[in-house]
Amino acid sequence: MERLQERINYRFNNPELLRTALTHSSYANEGRGLRSNERLEFLGDSVLSIVVSEYLFELFKNKQEGDLTKLRAALVCEKTLAEFARGVSLGECLLLGKGEQNTGGRERPSILSDAFEAVIAAIFLDGGMKAAKEFVLSFVVEELKKPAARSSSDYKTTLQEIVQQNSEEKLEYVLVGESGPDHNKRFTVEVHLNSNVIGKGSGRSKKAAEQQAARQALELMGE
């Protein structure tokens, strides 16, 4: 924790917040008397979204809502957040259960991205929005310099924009399958247009499965 605080350039007034942010549910569930980082992840996701949204809104004054949404989605997706986490070696600091330890949990994108969001929340609770904003933007500003960040595809947003052209159409993502042990879950999602299945996808998180389902739907539409 000491080394991590140096790497993220933030020192906690309440180190227990950081400890909780680093505690995966697999570790907490082993009866160690610690809370998992899931509640912090929930809060961190919202803080991340508002910080990135505000920054993009101010930076790109001529971009339309759809373009800003795509750009934000690329910056807050699981893959990008996992890379941010690797940049500060967050994985080596995580408290993981034995199952996760033995199956490469420290490098699993879903675990890394969730922990990164939990750290954002911990900083927010410990030092306020200003501290959380500085932390988030220290990664986002550099990421935006990469050409790939500006062109990353968000299949769900693209599909939504197409469907919205007809106000009578209704798009819905339905979880239809869940398999595997807790440390290695796999989710299957269908995307429905009104009552018709137009795409199906799988992934290690519901968000990833939804993206793959939207991707298949776009292919079906010839997009």
Side-chain angles (χ1 to χ4, degrees):
M1 285 176 57
E2 189 68 27
R3 291 195 301 271
L4 178 60
Q5 289 179 92
E6 293 176 2
R7 292 197 293 266
I8 66 175
N9 198 30
Y10 182 82
R11 185 157 297 279
F12 280 82
N13 296 305
N14 180 6
E16 284 305 308
L17 282 168
L18 179 58
R19 185 182 300 277
T20 301
L22 299 175
T23 303
H24 188 256
S25 57
S26 63
Y27 189 88
N29 292 339
E30 289 182 348
R32 299 174 185 269
L34 294 175
R35 280 188 174 185
S36 79
N37 61 8
E38 291 177 345
R39 280 172 54 84
L40 286 177
E41 175 208 337
F42 165 79
L43 178 59
D45 180 71
S46 296
V47 174
L48 173 67
S49 182
I50 189 63
V51 169
V52 173
S53 297
E54 181 188 22
Y55 183 72
L56 295 178
F57 182 82
E58 294 296 334
L59 184 64
F60 300 109
K61 296 186 181 298
N62 296 320
K63 280 188 178 293
Q64 297 300 310
E65 181 268 345
D67 293 328
L68 291 173
T69 299
K70 289 179 183 179
L71 194 50
R72 181 183 61 191
L75 290 168
V76 303
C77 71
E78 180 181 286
K79 179 182 177 182
T80 302
L81 295 183
E83 285 302 313
F84 291 166
R86 292 189 183 99
V88 292
S89 301
L90 190 60
E92 71 180 31
C93 304
L94 297 178
L95 297 173
L96 301 177
K98 292 180 180 177
E100 287 293 352
Q101 288 262 32
N102 297 332
T103 55
R106 294 190 186 281
E107 282 298 313
R108 187 165 294 125
S110 59
I111 291 178
L112 288 173
S113 61
D114 288 350
F116 188 82
E117 288 180 331
V119 169
I120 293 172
I123 294 174
F124 170 74
L125 293 173
D126 189 74
M129 180 58 87
K130 183 176 184 293
K133 184 175 181 178
E134 289 176 355
F135 174 71
V136 170
L137 293 185
S138 68
F139 295 89
V140 168
V141 172
E142 289 301 313
E143 185 66 19
L144 276 172
K145 293 177 182 178
K146 302 176 183 178
R150 296 171 180 260
S151 61
S152 294
S153 294
D154 174 27
Y155 301 115
K156 284 183 66 177
T157 300
T158 302
L159 181 60
Q160 185 68 35
E161 288 174 348
I162 293 173
V163 172
Q164 281 178 342
Q165 294 175 14
N166 187 339
S167 60
E168 297 178 359
E169 303 285 4
K170 180 185 176 184
L171 200 62
E172 183 182 12
Y173 291 87
V174 180
L175 180 66
V176 295
E178 186 176 331
S179 61
D182 288 342
H183 65 270
N184 192 20
K185 286 278 189 186
R186 192 154 191 86
F187 300 90
T188 301
V189 168
E190 288 179 350
V191 57
H192 295 189
L193 183 59
N194 301 323
S195 59
N196 301 313
V197 179
I198 59 171
K200 188 174 183 179
S202 297
R204 289 189 172 179
S205 69
K206 292 176 185 177
K207 290 180 181 178
E210 289 173 355
Q211 285 286 356
Q212 291 306 310
R215 178 173 178 268
Q216 188 180 91
L218 290 169
E219 290 176 351
L220 182 68
M221 294 176 176
E223 295 291 334

